[in-house]
Amino acid sequence: MQSVAEALDRLRDLAASPTVATLADAFEAAGFELALVGGPVRDAFLGRSTNDLDFTTDATPDEILGVVGPIAEAHWDIGRAFGTIGAKVRGHTVEVTTYRADAYDGNSRKPEVVFGTSLEDDLVRRDFTVNALALRLPGLALVDPSGGVEDLLTGVLRTPAPPEVSFGDDPLRMMRAARFAAQLDFDVEPGTLAAMGALAPQIDRISAERVRDELSKLLRTGEASRGIRLLVDTGIAARVLPEIPALRLEIDEHHHHKDVFEHSLTVLDQAVDYEVARGRLDSPDLVVRLAALLHDIGKPATRRLESGGAVSFHHHDMVGAKLAKKRLRALRFDNDTIKAVARLIELHLRFFGYTDGAWSDSAVRRYVRDAGDQLERLHILTRADVTTRNRRKADRLGFAYDDLEERIARLAEEEELAAVRPELDGQQIMSILGIRPGPVVGQAYRYLLDVRLDEGPIGEEAARERLLAWWAARDGA
C-alpha cells in the first residue's frame, strides 16, 4: 500500500503521460469535463501497475466521438448504447464513458441506461468506494465522495450507497465483491456482507453470460479460493454454481473422509501455485482453474458408506465430468472450454494407478494420447490434487509424478510421442484390405494405433502383416 503522497505522485506521473495529457487537453479545449476514474486511481494507491485507462466525462457519446476522432489512431463505439467510446490514443487503448445514473427496475436483467451530468453523482453510483475515486483532468484534483481512500488504507470493501440499494441496482456487484476480495486481499465490510447473504436470490436476475464473465474474472485472481468461499458462505454460489456448496458433505461418527469442499479449494490454490511455478503467472489459465474447482463435484452423487467406516466415490470422475459439462453449458461457456474442463476431470484420477506398479511404456503412451492437447494442464491438475498432510505420502506421489513426466519427455524425444500415428494411414488400410470407406477402416486404424502404443514403432511392413492377421481373425470370427 502506497502512502497518500506516493499515490498522488504516481497519479501526477500518469496524468503527464502522452496519452492522458493528449486526452485532457482535447476535452478541455472542447469545453468538457474529463476525469481518470476507477481502477487506475485505485491502483495508484495500492502500488499496482495498471494497463487500463478509463475516463468519464459530461460529454455525450456523440460529443466524445467528436473530441476523440481527430486525436485517435482508431476508435470504436461498440459500447455506445451504454455511453462508452473506445479509442487508441498515442498507442494506448482507452475508454471514455459519459457520466451515468443507471438503475434497475427490479425485474430486468439489464440496467436502464441514464446519462448523468455530475462526476460526484456518477461516482456514488459505482460498485465500491475503492473504485469510486477519480482524478479531474487536467487540474489533478482527487475526487473521493465516499471515503474510498480511507477504505483503501484499511483494506475494506464497502458500497458507496447503502448495500441494499447498490446490490438492488445491480446484483452482479455481489459477485464483484467476492472477486475484489480475492484480487485485492480486502475484507468485505460487515453490513455489505450481510446484505450479500440477504439479497443472494437477486442474482437470479442477472444473465448467465454476465455471471460467467464475473466468475471467470474471480477465478483468474491470485486468491480465487477466497472469493469462492465468500460466494458459498453468502449463499450466492448455491444459485450460480450449486455443485460447490454441495461438496460440504455431512460426516457422521462412523464414516470418515476428507472434507471435499476444503480439499477442492486447496486444489484450486495449489493449481494456481503450479501455474506460477511452471511459468504461467502472466496468463492465468481459466481451464485449469475451473477443472481444479470442479474436479470432485461428482463425489456427492457417488458417495457410498461402506462397512468398517470406509467411504467410496466410485466413478466420481466420469459423473463429475458430466455435471461439469451441464453447469458450464448453463453458464454459457464456449464449447472448447467445456470440452477441455470435462476431459481433465475425466482423467484426473488416472495417474494414481502409477504408484501401484510401474507403468509400461505403452501405458505412458496411452496417458499422453488420452490427454492430447490437455497434457500440460493435466500435469498441473494432478499435482495440485495431492493435498495429503502425510509428508511421506505427498513426497512419494510427487516423486512418482516427476518420474512419469521424465518418462513422457524421454519417450517424446525418442518417438515424437505427441504425434504418434500408426504406420499405415486410412488410404493404405483400404488398399491393403481391398475395402471401401466405412466403419471398418476406423476399427483397423484403432487396432494399429493400439499396436503402436503397446509396442512402439514396428515399421510399415510389420504393420501390414499385423493388419492382415487382424483382418483374417476378424473374418474367421
Side-chain angles (χ1 to χ4, degrees):
M1 181 70 189
Q2 305 285 290
S3 69
V4 173
E6 289 172 327
L8 292 176
D9 284 342
R10 286 170 61 93
L11 288 171
R12 289 189 190 96
D13 290 343
L14 183 57
S17 68
T19 298
V20 178
T22 297
L23 278 167
D25 291 344
F27 275 84
E28 183 181 41
F32 297 115
E33 297 178 5
L34 185 71
L36 188 67
V37 68
V41 184
R42 176 198 69 215
D43 290 343
F45 282 89
L46 296 176
R48 298 160 57 107
S49 60
T50 182
N51 295 319
D52 297 327
L53 290 176
D54 297 325
F55 300 85
T56 188
T57 178
D58 60 342
T60 66
D62 286 343
E63 291 168 336
I64 294 172
L65 280 171
V67 175
V68 168
I71 62 172
E73 294 97 81
H75 58 79
W76 49 92
D77 60 357
I78 191 169
R80 185 171 185 162
F82 297 95
T84 299
I85 301 298
K88 189 172 184 179
V89 178
R90 296 292 188 96
H92 287 84
T93 299
V94 303
E95 288 190 349
V96 185
T97 302
T98 305
Y99 295 151
R100 297 272 290 272
D102 299 350
Y104 279 77
D105 62 12
N107 296 305
S108 173
R109 291 189 169 197
K110 294 182 179 180
E112 177 186 357
V113 178
V114 179
F115 297 139
T117 58
S118 162
L119 174 59
E120 288 76 10
D121 289 347
D122 175 273
L123 293 176
V124 298
R125 301 291 299 184
R126 293 179 178 254
D127 51 8
F128 302 103
T129 60
V130 297
N131 294 329
L133 299 168
L135 184 71
R136 286 190 183 274
L137 300 169
L140 304 184
L142 182 66
V143 183
D144 178 17
S146 305
V149 171
E150 182 179 349
D151 288 343
L152 280 172
L153 294 172
T154 55
V156 170
L157 283 174
R158 181 170 56 87
T159 56
E164 297 79 9
V165 173
S166 183
F167 296 153
D169 279 351
D170 186 356
L172 190 66
R173 289 172 175 171
M174 296 186 289
M175 290 190 67
R176 284 197 199 121
R179 191 236 302 181
F180 283 120
Q183 178 180 322
L184 304 177
D185 193 22
F186 279 17
D187 293 322
V188 180
E189 179 269 331
T192 303
L193 185 63
M196 290 172 66
L199 297 176
Q202 294 297 313
I203 200 69
D204 295 347
R205 290 165 40 198
I206 302 302
S207 68
E209 290 81 1
R210 294 185 71 210
V211 169
R212 173 203 63 207
D213 291 347
E214 194 57 48
L215 176 64
S216 299
K217 290 176 183 177
L218 190 164
L219 287 173
R220 288 187 173 105
T221 67
E223 299 288 341
S225 65
R226 178 174 183 165
I228 295 296
R229 187 184 301 279
L230 189 55
L231 293 180
V232 171
D233 290 345
T234 56
I236 296 169
R239 311 192 77 88
V240 300
L241 201 62
E243 294 80 6
I244 300 307
L247 294 175
R248 285 179 162 170
L249 300 176
E250 181 180 352
I251 301 176
D252 62 38
E253 60 180 321
H254 303 295
H255 295 83
H256 300 282
H257 58 80
K258 69 174 64 176
D259 186 320
V260 183
F261 173 72
E262 293 297 335
H263 165 74
S264 297
L265 293 190
T266 300
V267 173
L268 176 57
D269 287 336
Q270 294 187 166
V272 173
D273 291 341
Y274 279 117
E275 275 190 55
V276 175
R278 296 174 87 98
R280 305 183 71 150
L281 179 61
D282 294 334
S283 180
D285 193 326
L286 181 62
V287 168
V288 166
R289 298 179 185 206
L290 281 167
L293 179 63
L294 302 176
H295 77 285
D296 273 349
I297 60 173
K299 282 190 170 180
T302 58
R303 183 185 188 219
R304 297 292 181 269
L305 305 180
E306 310 289 355
S307 60
V311 180
S312 67
F313 303 97
H314 295 307
H315 307 301
H316 78 268
D317 45 351
M318 303 307 293
V319 172
K322 291 179 181 178
L323 291 173
K325 285 181 182 178
K326 183 177 180 181
R327 177 54 52 196
L328 296 179
R329 286 192 188 110
L331 289 172
R332 305 291 194 272
F333 277 91
D334 63 276
N335 289 334
D336 288 344
T337 296
I338 295 171
K339 181 179 178 181
V341 171
R343 189 60 173 154
L344 289 171
I345 295 173
E346 286 177 3
L347 296 174
H348 83 273
L349 294 179
R350 182 74 65 86
F351 158 74
F352 292 96
Y354 188 82
T355 57
D356 297 335
W359 279 6
S360 64
D361 283 353
S362 64
V364 175
R365 293 187 191 102
R366 290 176 189 278
Y367 187 78
V368 174
R369 181 193 67 176
D370 291 347
D373 59 3
Q374 301 306 312
L375 182 62
E376 171 66 16
R377 287 167 167 161
L378 185 58
H379 289 334
I380 293 173
L381 177 60
T382 303
R383 288 184 179 276
D385 198 23
V386 178
T387 62
T388 178
R389 295 180 182 177
N390 184 319
R391 178 44 52 192
R392 291 182 65 184
K393 182 178 180 181
D395 287 345
R396 178 170 59 85
L397 290 169
F399 293 146
Y401 207 85
D402 289 343
D403 182 67
L404 176 58
E405 287 205 64
E406 289 172 5
R407 290 182 65 188
I408 290 171
R410 185 170 63 252
L411 287 170
E413 183 176 355
E414 293 172 356
E415 306 176 16
E416 297 183 359
L417 191 56
V420 166
R421 299 287 187 274
E423 277 81 358
L424 304 176
D425 61 23
Q427 290 294 331
Q428 290 171 302
I429 290 170
M430 288 188 288
S431 176
I432 292 169
L433 299 182
I435 60 176
R436 299 174 64 82
V440 175
V441 179
Q443 294 169 14
Y445 185 91
R446 286 190 292 274
Y447 165 73
L448 290 175
L449 180 57
D450 284 339
V451 171
R452 174 72 171 79
L453 290 169
D454 287 338
E455 303 177 26
I458 63 173
E460 189 171 314
E461 185 56 35
R464 175 188 177 90
E465 293 175 1
R466 298 290 286 273
L467 174 64
L468 289 171
W470 172 84
W471 182 247
R474 182 179 182 279
D475 280 352

